[in-house]
Amino acid sequence: MTKWTAQDIVDQQGRTFVVTGANSGLGAVTARALAGAGADVVLACRDVAKGEEVARPLGSRARVRKLDLADLDSVREFAAGIDSVDVLVNNAGVMAVPNRRTADGFEMQFGTNHLGHFALTGLLLDRITDRVVTMSSLMHRLGTIDLADPNYEHRSYRRWPAYGQSKLANLLFAYELDRRLAAAGSAVKSLAAHPGYASTGLQGHTDSVWDRVMGIGNLMAQSAEMGALPELYAATAADAVGGTFIGPDGPFEQRGYPKVVASNAKSRDRAVAAALWGESETLTGVTYEFES
């Protein structure tokens, strides 16, 4: 693909998108771009007030719904209020936070970034008509899926490996979902994307010295508008292929325009993906039902 930008988004009138974490950063940029292309956008936000600030200038095309991915009751309540959706963008996330637990007792990063989106996607799947886009990260390369202790109940917590595990889980999920959809003969597809190194609010919520370090690093980062391009391409481009990973085309995938990129061997391990899927269904209580 050649230098695809938000101006290349085709007319999205008549289509509905759900974007998680749309109250700030990449999610807010994505919601604005989709509404600007004519789409109806549901901003799925933990912070509803901030979501309303984003939605207000977008007019009737945007509406805000409460969604806390760190609380499965909230996920179920949100999903129950969605009638139909063409595209689900699993964008929200937390990064390198201290050792905390979700409302259901999961490690916060694995529980929010992976399990919350796994449950949300499964609960909405019978109403999704086109595709699911799940945001991962270059940091998936730091991750290893510990199926014996994914929630750090028995091992020492380390924030960056935990983040890497959650982002690797996002990729394993996106690829496995696409395989299962294809096997069921479904027309729905699943893709993954990553923003490179983009300046967003995500880097400022680690509650550690890393906030200051990454604040300095943000001076060299690309804008959130550029960082959102891979997920926008994955969510809207007619020629986007299921089971692919979209990221920036620049050096080391740090910045640039969308293209299909590679992910590491761990993310392509089908045995681990299947085992993670089973464990995710057990932990969330959400069992997927596939229809063609």
Side-chain angles (χ1 to χ4, degrees), residues 50-68:
K50 288 186 177 179
E52 293 288 1
E53 291 178 10
V54 175
R56 196 169 298 114
L58 306 181
S60 61
R61 295 197 183 281
R63 55 193 172 102
V64 181
R65 288 282 312 281
K66 173 76 173 181
L67 172 64
D68 184 352

Side-chain angles (χ1 to χ4, degrees), residues 136-144 164 167-168 171 194 245 252-254 261-264 266:
S136 182
S137 165
L138 287 170
M139 298 293 282
H140 80 273
R141 297 168 184 167
L142 293 181
T144 296
K167 293 289 101 179
L168 177 58
L171 270 176
H194 82 83
F245 189 25
F252 307 106
E253 298 173 28
Q254 294 288 310
V261 297
S263 59
N264 67 5
K266 289 181 181 179

Side-chain angles (χ1 to χ4, degrees), residues 11 24 33 60 81 83 114 120 134 136 148 154 172 195-196 199 202 213-214 254 259 269 278:
D11 186 4
S24 64
S60 61
D83 295 326
H114 170 60
L120 177 65
T134 301
S136 182
H154 307 294
L172 286 161
S199 179
L202 185 65
V213 172
M214 288 187 288
Q254 294 288 310
K259 75 167 187 176
D269 189 321

Side-chain angles (χ1 to χ4, degrees), residues 46-160:
R46 183 174 60 85
D47 190 327
V48 172
K50 288 186 177 179
E52 293 288 1
E53 291 178 10
V54 175
R56 196 169 298 114
L58 306 181
S60 61
R61 295 197 183 281
R63 55 193 172 102
V64 181
R65 288 282 312 281
K66 173 76 173 181
L67 172 64
D68 184 352
L69 290 161
D71 184 342
L72 290 178
D73 285 343
S74 175
V75 174
R76 291 181 182 279
E77 183 177 356
F78 174 87
I82 300 296
D83 295 326
S84 65
V85 55
D86 294 286
V87 180
L88 170 62
V89 182
N90 289 325
N91 165 85
V94 293
M95 181 175 73
V97 296
N99 190 2
R100 295 174 180 158
R101 298 279 141 181
T102 69
D104 303 280
F106 307 135
E107 186 275 311
M108 183 62 73
Q109 298 186 86
F110 185 71
T112 301
N113 298 350
H114 170 60
L115 291 175
H117 281 128
F118 179 91
L120 177 65
T121 306
L123 291 167
L124 289 178
L125 194 60
D126 63 344
R127 282 154 280 169
I128 296 172
T129 64
D130 184 8
R131 68 188 78 178
V132 178
V133 176
T134 301
M135 289 298 284
S136 182
S137 165
L138 287 170
M139 298 293 282
H140 80 273
R141 297 168 184 167
L142 293 181
T144 296
I145 303 297
D146 187 334
L147 289 167
D149 189 22
N151 287 299
Y152 284 84
E153 294 172 308
H154 307 294
R155 52 183 168 144
S156 297
Y157 178 75
R158 296 166 61 201
R159 66 179 71 209
W160 286 108

